[in-house]
Amino acid sequence: MSFFGVSGMYYSGESLAEHRIVLAEDSNLFSAMVSKRLKELFDIDVIVCRDYDDLQFAVENATFPASLAISNINLPGAENGEALNYLIDMSVPTVVFTGSFQESTREKILAKEIVDYVIKDSVFAVDMLAESVCRFLTNHKHHVLIVDDSPTARALLTTQLKRYNFRTSSAENGAMALELLKNNPDIGLVITDYNMPDIDGFELTRRIRGSYGPHQLRIIGVSSSTNRLLSARFLKAGGNDFVVRPFVNEEFYCRVNQNLDTLTKIRTLSEKVRVPA
């Protein structure tokens, strides 16, 4: 099974049929399009809920919990966003699929700690939703290391990445980060702060690159500094990307995805090259 996403994601692996997805959508057109697309791409059978009562029944009477919910903001019987609150309260990871979207709506949605949102405003909307679903269901394959001397910053990044279903480890300094890398060869992405007391982000990046090439490990530098030259210094030290704090959630997730997509493609190509003719 293989899938090419709109944003460049490539997935090649086993069927995702073991996952249970609840779709809270009162539009017959969109529920049919989403159900058909997820079935043909990933062999996933979607449970469609037309109203709030259907959603509650599907969640509370399941033989095993839903891996993910896809929900419109408003449903019959939940015209004021109660469906999203319910799904979050029930600890069901949720992707919002909505036709109406404004900046105030975005802030309210992201405050509910949803996984992602997709807007029904283009012919690619259903495929973008399929990609969001595929990412969430397969992100656990990726191990991300967070390096920051601030406990608060580490906790915030860890929470955000776990919301997207990534596996994470964290280090409070460069020495600990290097030790974790040595003991966890499956780490594919390092997100490191610049300003750290023992080994700063530049030096850590240089040391990592002494042992791990960009085909083995991706590095994203982060900083709250307004010095625009920091990004250039990180890239020259061997980093692959740079993000300025405070993050815009969508941009941060996109940068993480792009780097892991690149790593996946490199590894896939390397495996093909190693296969004898």
Side-chain angles (χ1 to χ4, degrees):
M1 175 175 291
S2 60
F3 167 67
F4 288 94
V6 177
S7 71
M9 177 189 187
Y10 174 68
Y11 172 71
S12 178
E14 69 278 3
S15 163
L16 301 175
E18 75 276 11
H19 293 285
R20 181 173 180 270
I21 292 184
V22 173
L23 172 62
E25 174 61 67
D26 58 320
S27 165
N28 291 331
L29 174 62
F30 279 112
S31 60
M33 291 171 63
V34 171
S35 299
K36 178 181 178 182
R37 196 66 174 136
L38 294 183
K39 181 63 176 179
E40 64 187 14
L41 287 175
F42 312 120
D43 199 26
I44 296 175
D45 290 314
V46 175
I47 300 171
V48 178
C49 305
R50 306 289 186 187
D51 56 34
Y52 192 37
D53 288 339
D54 283 352
L55 176 62
Q56 291 176 304
F57 184 86
V59 171
E60 296 173 23
N61 294 275
T63 53
F64 59 94
S67 302
L68 183 68
I70 301 168
S71 179
N72 204 337
I73 294 177
N74 302 314
L75 283 176
E79 287 80 7
N80 297 306
E82 295 92 342
L84 293 184
N85 292 334
Y86 171 75
L87 289 167
I88 298 303
D89 289 343
M90 296 298 290
S91 300
V92 181
T94 303
V95 174
V96 172
F97 191 46
T98 179
S100 59
F101 200 79
Q102 299 175 346
E103 186 172 342
S104 59
T105 307
R106 171 190 173 274
E107 292 176 358
K108 290 178 181 178
I109 288 176
L110 294 181
K112 298 180 188 296
E113 299 186 349
I114 62 160
V115 173
D116 199 3
Y117 65 85
V118 177
I119 308 172
K120 306 171 186 175
D121 65 348
S122 74
V123 295
F124 302 109
V126 173
D127 279 344
M128 290 177 68
L129 179 63
E131 179 174 332
S132 182
V133 169
C134 185
R135 285 194 187 281
F136 180 80
L137 297 181
T138 60
N139 276 346
H140 67 279
K141 297 177 182 293
H142 299 296
H143 188 174
V144 182
L145 173 60
I146 302 159
V147 190
D148 201 307
D149 62 314
S150 165
T152 301
R154 290 199 308 274
L156 286 172
L157 275 178
T158 297
T159 298
Q160 189 165 4
L161 289 168
K162 285 188 174 180
R163 183 192 308 174
Y164 301 136
N165 206 24
F166 290 110
R167 290 182 293 118
T168 66
S169 294
S170 62
E172 63 185 33
N173 55 54
M176 183 182 295
L178 293 171
E179 187 66 20
L180 281 168
L181 282 171
K182 185 169 65 174
N183 295 327
N184 295 273
D186 65 328
I187 292 175
L189 174 65
V190 175
I191 301 174
T192 179
D193 187 36
Y194 157 63
N195 188 18
M196 294 186 293
D198 65 332
I199 303 174
D200 67 24
F202 300 141
E203 181 59 26
L204 176 60
T205 298
R206 292 190 191 98
R207 294 191 189 187
I208 291 174
R209 281 292 175 245
S211 302
Y212 307 91
H215 63 292
Q216 299 170 298
L217 183 72
R218 309 298 285 182
I219 304 173
I220 300 178
V222 298
S223 176
S224 56
S225 172
T226 57
N227 183 351
R228 298 185 62 182
L229 291 179
L230 287 182
S231 59
R233 291 187 63 192
F234 254 110
L235 296 173
K236 291 296 184 180
N240 303 106
D241 208 342
F242 183 82
V243 187
V244 177
R245 286 191 173 106
F247 304 132
V248 175
N249 286 23
E250 297 93 326
E251 180 187 8
F252 174 72
Y253 188 34
C254 181
R255 298 290 189 88
V256 168
N257 287 336
Q258 286 176 344
N259 278 279
L260 290 173
D261 287 347
T262 299
L263 185 63
T264 298
K265 291 172 184 175
I266 291 173
R267 288 175 174 174
T268 301
L269 181 61
S270 297
E271 290 173 0
K272 289 181 179 180
V273 169
R274 286 198 298 267
V275 174

